[in-house]
Amino acid sequence: AQSVSQHNHHVILSEAASLELGCNYSYGGTVNLFWYVQYPGQHLQLLLKYFSGDPLVKGIKGFEAEFIKSKFSFNLRKPSVQWSDTAEYFCAVNARNSGAGSYQLTFGKGTKLSVIP
Amino acid sequence: GAGVSQSPSNKVTEKGKDVELRCDPISGHTALYWYRQSLGQGLEFLIYFQGNSAPDKSGLPSDRFSAERTGGSVSTLTIQRTQQEDSAVYLCASSPDRQETQYFGPGTRLLVL
């Protein structure tokens, strides 16, 4: 079964600082990769996704992520964070669950980002 | 044309009671998923529906948990004889197909006293 690791539980940054959140997964086959965001009091929203093609994907609000297949990584980046980026960020991998024959979305445990004005 | 909706938004129940949680997916989405989000545990997959059938129930934590989907649309997650460890936010998601992006509802926050 696949697993997803997010390296940081809580990150605190000042506004305008650069952000990189780590995400590694374990799965040997083809995967679809996602970053979801959950703003305080709101539900999970898609930030960006990678299915195929250019490994550098751009999402909403200036976020981007790079898929490095050799490292099984899909790190999230933003050059300059804003207070409004305060949220919890989840990395997720959609891969085939061979036992059940379905595609299962496996989430990391999330990284809380606090941006100080 | 809205997104995924879930009801109730909050549910408080007593240990041992049964609860039903409802999910209305985005119209036309054939795939529907249930997850549980517990404090410090991230999101835990529970069950997946393709149409009305559930090819993957591997995440259901015990036989107290069951789910059904009717008409290829609305789904109900039932927890029988609730326990305090069932307290969590239960999230529903839908997607056009199983490999596509999943869109999440606001969740039902369940508290078992």
Side-chain angles (χ1 to χ4, degrees), chain A residues 36 38 43 49 101-102 105, chain B residues 35 37 56 98 101-102 104-105:
Chain A
Y36 282 87
Q38 190 168 28
H43 60 275
K49 62 185 179 184
S102 69
L105 191 63
Chain B
Y35 296 88
Q37 187 176 22
D56 189 352
R98 60 185 186 178
T101 301
Q102 295 181 25
F104 284 80

Side-chain angles (χ1 to χ4, degrees), chain A residues 42-105:
Chain A
Q42 297 187 28
H43 60 275
L44 275 168
Q45 302 170 38
L46 181 69
L47 199 56
L48 49 78
K49 62 185 179 184
Y50 172 80
F51 280 19
S52 64
D54 188 345
L56 184 62
V57 292
K58 295 192 185 297
I60 60 172
K61 303 186 179 184
F63 285 89
E64 65 178 31
E66 184 174 13
F67 170 50
I68 302 179
K69 189 174 181 180
S70 61
K71 295 185 178 180
F72 297 90
S73 70
F74 191 55
N75 292 354
L76 180 71
R77 299 193 294 247
K78 185 171 183 178
S80 176
V81 295
Q82 301 173 316
W83 176 77
S84 58
D85 294 325
T86 295
E88 190 159 14
Y89 293 81
F90 294 90
C91 180
V93 172
N94 197 4
R96 187 175 178 87
N97 180 339
S98 58
S102 69
Y103 281 79
Q104 189 171 108
L105 191 63

Side-chain angles (χ1 to χ4, degrees), chain B residues 16-36:
Chain B
K17 295 282 178 72
D18 298 352
V19 295
E20 280 190 354
L21 312 179
R22 176 187 167 108
C23 172
D24 271 288
I26 293 172
S27 177
H29 281 191
T30 60
L32 185 148
Y33 308 79
W34 284 98
Y35 296 88
R36 180 167 68 175

Side-chain angles (χ1 to χ4, degrees), chain B:
Chain B
V4 178
S5 61
Q6 293 185 244
S7 61
S9 53
N10 290 282
K11 177 72 177 179
V12 181
T13 190
E14 293 179 349
K15 179 181 170 181
K17 295 282 178 72
D18 298 352
V19 295
E20 280 190 354
L21 312 179
R22 176 187 167 108
C23 172
D24 271 288
I26 293 172
S27 177
H29 281 191
T30 60
L32 185 148
Y33 308 79
W34 284 98
Y35 296 88
R36 180 167 68 175
Q37 187 176 22
S38 305
L39 197 62
Q41 296 298 315
L43 278 89
E44 173 189 9
F45 168 79
L46 298 178
I47 188 169
Y48 151 71
F49 286 91
Q50 183 65 38
N52 290 336
S53 64
D56 189 352
K57 303 179 184 179
S58 61
L60 293 178
S62 76
D63 59 7
R64 296 186 295 103
F65 287 72
S66 63
E68 63 176 13
R69 189 180 185 193
T70 55
S73 181
V74 172
S75 176
T76 303
L77 176 69
T78 301
I79 309 173
Q80 295 178 307
R81 305 181 303 281
T82 51
Q83 304 294 312
Q84 287 180 333
E85 61 262 28
D86 300 333
S87 297
V89 177
Y90 289 82
L91 295 170
C92 176
S94 71
S95 64
D97 195 0
R98 60 185 186 178
Q99 289 179 266
E100 297 291 329
T101 301
Q102 295 181 25
Y103 296 90
F104 284 80
T108 293
R109 188 175 299 275
L110 175 65
L111 178 61
V112 182
L113 300 176

